[in-house]
């Protein structure tokens, strides 16, 4: 990871990229019925590159890093349903941005992530979900790894 002051700058740049991103609904299956998920997986581009800069971790030759960006708003009545990230090969990282209400990332073991603006590490293969956002906009970026064969199979 970059030094703390540099990491703060990179994180601020990521937040700006998310706010400027051209969002659209997707067909993500683990968002509550009636929700309009805005969740996009990237394997390249400026957000992907900034995440690599922020987390700077080596990957094995047979692994692929993925970056999933999410936007949840009360208008879209969106929350992420309980699920496991079954194709992940390592722990995931998440950073959450915004002045929203609700939207905690919760885990079946009782742990939850609510702090914004800092990177958190979690095991995506443990059942987890994001609560409904009740005010303002919640952005998040999740960095994960999988074997390249799993990505090619999608």
């Amino acid at each position: 990871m970059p030094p703390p002051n540099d990491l703060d700058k990179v994180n601020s740049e990521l937040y700006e990229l998310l706010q400027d991103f051209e969002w659209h609904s997707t067909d993500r299956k683990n968002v509550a019925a009636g929700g309009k998920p805005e969740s996009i997986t990237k394997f390249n581009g400026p957000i992907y590159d900034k995440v690599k800069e922020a987390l700077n971790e080596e990957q094995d030759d047979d692994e692929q890093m993925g970056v999933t960006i999410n936007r949840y708003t009360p208008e879209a009545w969106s929350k992420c349903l309980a699920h496991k990230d079954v194709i992940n090969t390592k722990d995931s990282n998440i950073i959450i941005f915004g002045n929203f209400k609700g939207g905690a990332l919760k885990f079946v073991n009782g742990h939850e992530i609510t702090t914004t603006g800092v990177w958190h590490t979690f095991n995506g293969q443990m059942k987890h979900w994001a609560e409904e956002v009740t005010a303002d906009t919640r952005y998040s970026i999740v960095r994960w790894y999988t074997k390249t064969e799993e990505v090619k199979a999608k």
Side-chain angles (χ1 to χ4, degrees):
M1 270 190 205
N5 289 339
D6 291 343
L7 184 58
D8 289 344
K9 181 178 184 288
V10 172
N11 289 346
S12 293
E13 291 168 354
L14 278 167
Y15 188 29
E16 288 176 25
L17 286 168
L18 288 173
Q19 291 174 309
D20 294 340
F21 189 78
E22 190 171 316
W23 291 91
H24 55 84
S25 294
T26 63
D27 60 356
R28 186 171 172 181
K29 303 293 185 231
N30 60 343
V31 174
K36 295 179 183 163
E38 293 176 307
S39 177
I40 299 151
T41 297
K42 309 291 269 173
F43 295 105
N44 57 43
I47 293 173
Y48 181 91
D49 293 341
K50 278 288 173 202
V51 170
K52 283 183 85 166
E53 182 181 342
L55 297 174
N56 193 22
E57 183 179 306
E58 294 295 318
Q59 68 188 58
D60 297 335
D61 289 341
D62 65 340
E63 285 183 320
Q64 171 68 53
M65 183 181 103
V67 172
T68 302
I69 59 174
N70 304 289
R71 180 171 75 169
Y72 295 109
T73 64
E75 296 79 24
W77 193 74
S78 53
K79 63 181 179 180
C80 183
L81 300 176
H83 67 284
K84 295 179 182 180
D85 301 326
V86 296
I87 67 169
N88 289 17
T89 55
K90 293 181 179 178
D91 282 346
S92 298
N93 301 95
I94 187 169
I95 189 166
I96 301 169
F97 297 105
N99 294 316
F100 55 90
K101 290 192 183 349
L105 179 61
K106 296 197 162 203
F107 297 85
V108 70
N109 67 356
H111 180 68
E112 66 179 53
I113 295 174
T114 58
T115 308
T116 60
V118 296
W119 286 97
H120 302 272
T121 300
F122 69 97
N123 178 352
Q125 293 190 0
M126 179 185 299
K127 191 176 277 190
H128 59 283
W129 62 95
E131 291 187 323
E132 184 176 352
V133 172
T134 58
D136 221 346
T137 302
R138 175 192 186 270
Y139 297 96
S140 65
I141 301 173
V142 180
R143 192 277 303 266
W144 49 274
Y145 286 99
T146 192
K147 296 292 182 188
T148 53
E149 302 83 44
E150 297 287 342
V151 174
K152 290 176 187 172
K154 286 190 138 200

